[in-house]
Amino acid sequence: MSTTTLPVTRETAHHVLWHYGAPGGLQPGRGTETLMVAIDAADLVTVERLRLGFPELVSAMLAAKNDMDGIARLQQIAGAA
C-alpha cells in the first residue's frame, strides 16, 4: 500500500533520500532537516498534524520509511535511479 498521495517534487525527493542515507540524496537547509527529524520521530497523531502544513514532505517521508518501493520511487523522481 502506497503512502504517497501527492506528487513529490525533485527537491523533496533529494532531501528525503538524504535523510535516509540513500543514494541520490542532497542535504536540505537546517529548517527542513529539523522538520524531517521531527516527522521521523513523531507518533501517528502528530505526523497527521504535521501533514496539514507539510503534506508533500510527510508523504515522501512516509513512503521512504514504510513502502517497499518508496526509496526507489523517490530515486526515480530525483533522477538518481
Side-chain angles (χ1 to χ4, degrees), residues 23-56:
L26 295 172
Q27 186 172 7
R30 191 170 126 209
T32 300
E33 186 177 340
T34 302
L35 180 58
M36 290 191 306
V37 169
I39 292 167
D40 203 23
D43 60 62
L44 294 176
V45 172
T46 304
V47 167
E48 291 308 315
R49 288 180 180 160
L50 289 166
R51 189 191 298 267
L52 295 173
F54 307 96
E56 177 191 3

Side-chain angles (χ1 to χ4, degrees), residues 10 13-14 17 22-25 69-81:
R10 186 178 194 140
H14 281 297
L17 290 168
D69 65 341
I71 294 291
R73 287 188 294 129
L74 291 172
Q75 287 173 324
Q76 189 174 33
I77 292 167

Side-chain angles (χ1 to χ4, degrees), residues 1-8 59-60 62-64 67 70 73-74 77:
M1 177 179 187
S2 175
T3 54
T4 304
T5 57
L6 294 175
V8 174
S59 291
L62 290 177
D67 292 356
R73 287 188 294 129
L74 291 172
I77 292 167

Side-chain angles (χ1 to χ4, degrees), residues 55-66:
E56 177 191 3
L57 185 58
V58 169
S59 291
M61 293 205 51
L62 290 177
K65 188 174 183 177
N66 300 320

